[in-house]
Amino acid sequence: MTAMTTGSTSRADANRRRILDVALAELLRDPDASMDQIARAAGVVRRTVYGHFPSREALISTLVDGAVEAVEAAHTTGREDARDPAEAVARSTLAVWEVADRYRILVAPAQRSVTVQGIRERLAPARAAGAEVLRRGLEQGVFTSPLPPQALAYVHEQMLFALMEAVNDGLPAAQEAGRSAAVTLLTTAGVPASRATSLVAELSE
């Protein structure tokens, strides 16, 4: 590969990253932001945006892929060094929410463009890891639920989506939502509310 080709590729990659960063910021400001708006905000012509992303749906799908990767990494990091399954759920939820809060405005457009099934498929690895934590917790008596761990993992996933939508609608305050999410998921798994609240407070310090 020549130096000229390498330079062109680097510029194209930098343009692509910039478009994605600007697109996310614009969608946070205006969920209905058009490709024209995104191009203007990124300081490029519309043709450049379409050169990387053939449609608004493709752009959002790429943003969703990035969000899923970040969620998976946060989920893994959150579970590290947890003393028991309850702490693993609390830590991973707090870590995931930091990512989810940045990307939460994508929930509605992503469900229109990627489809709910597509989102579920992308989140399958993180959901499977969560189900394994829930399985251990149920076996150890840390959690109590009439649902099997795989179903409970689906419930937790959908509760996080619902909470993102609620924050988008201005219901819970964004700065409190992560801790509220962690307590909610723990209580849904059968952890007493007092224990869930104190554990999340301890981990949030």
Side-chain angles (χ1 to χ4, degrees):
M1 183 178 290
T2 66
M4 183 177 296
T5 302
T6 302
S8 298
T9 301
S10 298
R11 283 195 299 275
D13 288 344
N15 272 341
R16 188 175 188 275
R17 287 194 298 271
R18 173 166 172 72
I19 289 166
L20 287 170
D21 289 342
V22 169
L24 182 58
E26 286 299 296
L27 288 166
L28 285 170
R29 186 181 62 80
D30 176 10
D32 295 318
S34 67
M35 295 289 267
D36 282 347
Q37 286 175 257
I38 291 167
R40 285 195 300 272
V44 298
V45 297
R46 186 174 67 167
R47 184 175 60 187
T48 300
V49 177
Y50 278 105
H52 291 284
F53 308 101
S55 66
R56 186 174 185 274
E57 289 72 21
L59 174 59
I60 290 174
S61 181
T62 302
L63 286 170
V64 170
D65 285 340
V68 168
E69 290 178 7
V71 164
E72 289 178 346
H75 202 285
T76 299
T77 300
R79 295 194 311 271
E80 292 175 353
D81 302 322
R83 294 167 293 187
D84 59 38
E87 185 173 313
V89 168
R91 284 185 181 277
S92 63
T93 303
L94 291 169
V96 164
W97 185 261
E98 290 187 19
V99 175
D101 187 48
R102 179 169 184 245
Y103 288 97
R104 59 185 161 78
I105 202 67
L106 292 176
V107 172
Q111 288 179 339
R112 291 195 298 268
S113 61
V114 183
T115 76
V116 173
Q117 185 58 36
I119 294 172
R120 285 178 176 172
E121 289 172 359
R122 284 167 165 81
L123 289 172
R127 189 186 315 115
E132 175 58 23
V133 172
L134 293 169
R135 182 192 64 77
R136 289 192 287 108
L138 289 166
E139 288 181 353
Q140 296 171 15
V142 175
F143 301 140
T144 304
S145 174
L147 296 173
Q150 293 84 357
L152 189 55
Y154 264 109
V155 170
H156 281 186
E157 180 182 293
Q158 292 306 307
M159 289 179 74
L160 286 175
F161 276 129
L163 186 55
M164 282 188 275
E165 293 265 35
V167 174
N168 288 344
D169 287 342
L171 299 175
Q175 61 268 28
E176 299 294 332
R179 292 187 290 274
S180 297
V183 172
T184 300
L185 265 58
L186 286 170
T187 55
T188 303
V191 176
S194 57
R195 166 60 178 151
T197 301
S198 63
L199 174 59
V200 172
E202 173 190 335
L203 296 175
S204 300
E205 291 177 353

